Amino acid sequence: MPRTFAVVNQKGGVGKTTTAVNLAAALAQAGQRVLLVDLDPQGNATMGSGIDKRSAARTVYHALLGLGDLLTIRTRSERGGYDLVPANRDLAGAEVELVDLPARETRLRGALERVASDYDFILIDCPPSLSLLTVNGLAAAERVLIPMQCEYYALEGLSDLVGTIKRVRANLNPTLEIAGLLRTMYDPRNMLSQQVSRELETHFGDKVYRTVVPRNVRLAEAPSYGVPAVLWDSASKGAQAYVALAGEVLERV
Ligand SMILES: Nc1ncnc2c1ncn2[C@@H]1O[C@H](COP(=O)(O)OP(=O)(O)OP(=O)(O)O)[C@@H](O)[C@H]1O
Ligand SMILES: [Mg+2]
C-alpha cells in the first residue's frame, strides 16, 4: 500500500502547494510511483503540474461526489513525472453538496482505494481551511505534513490544526499521525525567522524536518511555466531543498 501524506495548514500561502508539487516531483525523480491529489478549488497544484485546470473536464470533485472513477479521472503530469488528480472551481461547490451524502468525510479515502495499488506515495494538497475538504484529506492520509512559515504568527492556529487532527484520529482514522513540520520560505538573515525556527525545534523536536526550505525565487516562478521547480532549475537552492526533503521522507518510512 502507498504512503499517503496530506499537506495541511489552514493558513493561506505558507507553501503547501509548492511543497506538494515539488515533493511529488522529487519522489518521482527518486524512482517512486507518485500520485498528487489536488484538493483545493484554486487548482494551483494542477496548474503547477502543467495541467490546465480550465480544460480538466473531470476532477477530484467528480470523484468525491461519486460521479466518476479515479481510474479515468487521474491524468499524467508529463513534466512532473507523476500522476495527478486535478481540481478546479467545480470543487468550490463540493463542500455544500457533500454535506447530505453518506460517509461525507471519507469519500476521498474511498475513491483512492481504486488506484492505491499503483503508487508508492500519494500526496494530497489541501486548501487553506479546516473544512470538510481538508477533513477528507486527513481521513484519507496516513501522515500529515505541515508546512510553516517561520514568522511571528506561525504557531498561532497550530493548536486548531492539531485539534482537528485529533478529532479525525478519534472518529475516522485511528492511525493518523503528524509526519513533520516543514519550515518554508526561510530567510536566514531575518532574526525573527531564526528565533521561530529554534522555537519549533524546541517544542516539536524530531517532528521538525531537518530540511529547511529557503525563500527562493525559482520556487515562485516555476508554477508559471507549469513545471515543478525541482525540474525547472534543479540547481537552485529551492529545488535542492525539496530533493533533500524527499530524501528525509524516504528515510523515515
Ligand atoms: N520557498 C519559497 N520561496 C519563495 N516563494 C515561495 C516559496 N514557497 C512558496 N512560494 C510562493 O509563495 C506563494 C504561496 O505558496 P503556495 O501556493 O505554495 O502556498 P499555499 O500554502 O499552497 O497557499 P494556499 O493556502 O493559497 O493554497 C506562491 O506564490 C509560491 O510560489
Ligand atoms: Mg495551495
Side-chain angles (χ1 to χ4, degrees):
M1 287 310 276
R3 297 282 133 115
T4 305
F5 286 72
V7 182
V8 183
N9 190 331
Q10 77 273 29
K11 263 184 209 287
V14 297
K16 292 180 290 295
T17 301
T18 304
T19 297
V21 165
N22 284 289
L23 182 57
L27 287 169
Q29 247 187 345
Q32 304 294 311
R33 299 169 304 160
V34 181
L35 177 68
L36 174 60
V37 179
D38 191 348
L39 197 55
D40 185 344
Q42 296 180 98
N44 293 343
T46 301
M47 297 297 280
S49 300
I51 308 292
D52 186 354
K53 64 181 176 185
R54 288 155 301 220
S55 65
R58 297 201 317 154
T59 66
V60 71
Y61 166 83
H62 299 85
L64 287 170
L65 288 225
L67 304 172
D69 191 324
L70 284 188
L71 279 169
T72 55
I73 293 172
R74 67 178 168 184
T75 176
R76 184 78 180 159
S77 167
E78 294 295 344
R79 288 160 168 185
Y82 50 81
D83 287 352
L84 174 85
V85 178
N88 59 28
R89 290 175 54 184
D90 289 348
L91 189 57
E95 197 84 27
V96 176
E97 293 171 66
L98 278 172
V99 168
D100 293 326
L101 296 181
R104 62 187 178 189
E105 289 115 343
T106 54
R107 302 196 61 102
L108 180 62
R109 178 158 82 196
L112 284 172
E113 273 165 16
R114 297 277 290 158
V115 296
S117 62
D118 293 342
Y119 302 102
D120 302 306
F121 283 91
I122 298 178
L123 306 180
I124 305 168
D125 183 32
C126 291
S129 66
L130 294 175
S131 62
L132 190 48
L133 286 176
T134 297
V135 169
N136 263 273
L138 290 171
E142 192 186 0
R143 296 284 182 268
V144 191
L145 194 163
I146 308 174
M148 296 188 72
Q149 233 177 309
C150 292
E151 55 173 37
Y152 185 63
Y153 292 114
L155 292 168
E156 202 174 90
L158 196 58
S159 58
D160 291 337
L161 174 51
V162 169
T164 301
I165 292 170
K166 282 187 179 153
R167 274 196 303 282
V168 170
R169 194 186 290 141
N171 300 314
L172 303 165
N173 187 3
T175 56
L176 182 67
E177 269 183 48
I178 294 178
L181 304 175
L182 175 68
R183 290 163 284 181
T184 61
M185 299 184 222
Y186 186 72
D187 177 2
R189 291 162 306 182
N190 181 324
M191 293 299 284
L192 183 61
S193 260
Q194 294 179 22
Q195 197 181 322
V196 173
S197 174
R198 276 197 302 272
E199 226 167 280
L200 282 176
E201 285 172 343
T202 313
H203 278 77
F204 297 97
D206 60 8
K207 280 289 179 201
V208 182
Y209 285 109
R210 291 191 306 278
T211 305
V212 178
V213 181
R215 188 169 283 284
N216 179 259
V217 68
R218 291 304 208 202
L219 290 173
E221 60 191 27
S224 64
Y225 300 98
V227 190
V230 161
L231 301 157
W232 171 247
D233 182 357
S234 59
S236 64
K237 288 256 170 12
Q240 286 174 355
Y242 280 110
V243 169
L245 176 67
E248 246 188 286
V249 166
L250 285 167
E251 171 190 304
R252 287 184 184 205
V253 296

